[in-house]
Amino acid sequence: MIPGTRAAGQSAAWQRELARSITDPAELVRLLGLDPAFIDPARAAARRFPLRVPRGYLARMKRGDPHDPLLAQVLPLDCELRSVPGFTADPVGDLASMVAPGVLHKYEGRVLLTTTGACAIHCRYCFRRHFPYGEANPATDRWNDALRYIAGTSSIREVILSGGDPLTMSDARLADLIGVLAVNAHVERLRVHTRLPVVLPERVTDGLVNALVSSRLKPVVVLHANHPNEIDSGVRDACVRLAGAHITLLNQSVLLAGVNDNADALCDLSDALFAAGVLPYYLHQLDRVEGAAHYDVPEERSLELHQAMRARLPGYLVPRLVREQPRAVSKILLA
Ligand SMILES: *Cc1c(COP(=O)(O)O)cnc(C)c1O
Ligand code: SF4
């Protein structure tokens, strides 16, 4: 066997790690030494949107602390089942901008492909928690429509692979997709929106890095980290490997009550990202998705927090505070 290749059917270390993720609320509660009273509500909420946490991510949580900022992103709570006015299934109008199965063309020059519905972690505040991936997923058997749309739309200069998480796809599948995208002379940049290097840094293999730089497209990887405790040495190493291949690294975060709605956490996150070679890009106001109302930070408070960041950090470490709005020509800058 050629070094670095694998026999068909054999899975990579990251795929085995992904398969070992925690999906049973009782196991999560036991491993963290939490009050068993969390189990029943978590089971009820997980029936709507299942629990999923990689073991390596759980290892960064503090045992016995029900308020741990990483746990707070993944623990299903019964308040998710309450309906709150203004919190809907498609808060950002994604379905209205779907021009072909899995192709969202909302902004000039950029299209977003929902490549897969799969994620390595289930973030309870995710605005795609109700997204109909079955209908929207071109990865099933409908790639052709998506590729035809991109080929026929010469204004597209950047293709954004999103999901779900595009890095749950295998290296081979990703390399194939990048190859066919690069055939379009009008496309210049490849952007990948992913949380995998943060929640499962083992995913950043040489094979992945090679796939990302295998075409003429300029690669940009936009990570998703929300709290400085997420950035450990494994994540830093993964970022170093990506940056070493001349991949531009940015980060987007969501402002979340009970996770990062304080100036210390936000400033420490910017510092930790920079130390890993990543620049903060966006800080998103929560999308008002059904089941996530308990994470909402009032806009006034968000502005205060952003002001505090500007007062303490160099400008290049202050992310743009934005909100997504259906039918707008770009994300709305709040500060
Ligand atoms: C956020 C988003 C983009 C990218 O917007 P940028 O401001 O370039 O980061 C593109 N398409 C859709 C549908 C989006 O939601
Ligand atoms: S990784 Fe991203 S797409 Fe997946 S659940 Fe979390 S926020 Fe949503």
Side-chain angles (χ1 to χ4, degrees), residues 86 88-98 105-107 127 285-289 322-332:
T88 62
D90 180 24
V92 300
D94 263 359
L95 294 177
S97 26
M98 196 176 297
H105 196 180
K106 193 168 177 183
Y107 302 139
F127 76 106
Q285 187 73 15
L286 182 78
D287 293 317
R288 310 195 104 198
V289 67
V322 291
R323 179 165 53 77
E324 186 87 35
Q325 185 173 292
R327 292 174 300 281
V329 298
S330 72
K331 305 208 192 289
I332 308 296

Side-chain angles (χ1 to χ4, degrees), residues 1 38 164 178 183 247:
M1 202 162 97
F38 280 106
I178 294 171
V183 167
I247 297 169

Side-chain angles (χ1 to χ4, degrees), residues 94 104 106-107 110 112 160 191 281-282 324 331:
D94 263 359
L104 302 181
K106 193 168 177 183
Y107 302 139
R110 291 149 287 169
L112 186 147
I160 304 172
R191 194 194 313 182
Y281 178 39
Y282 281 142
E324 186 87 35
K331 305 208 192 289

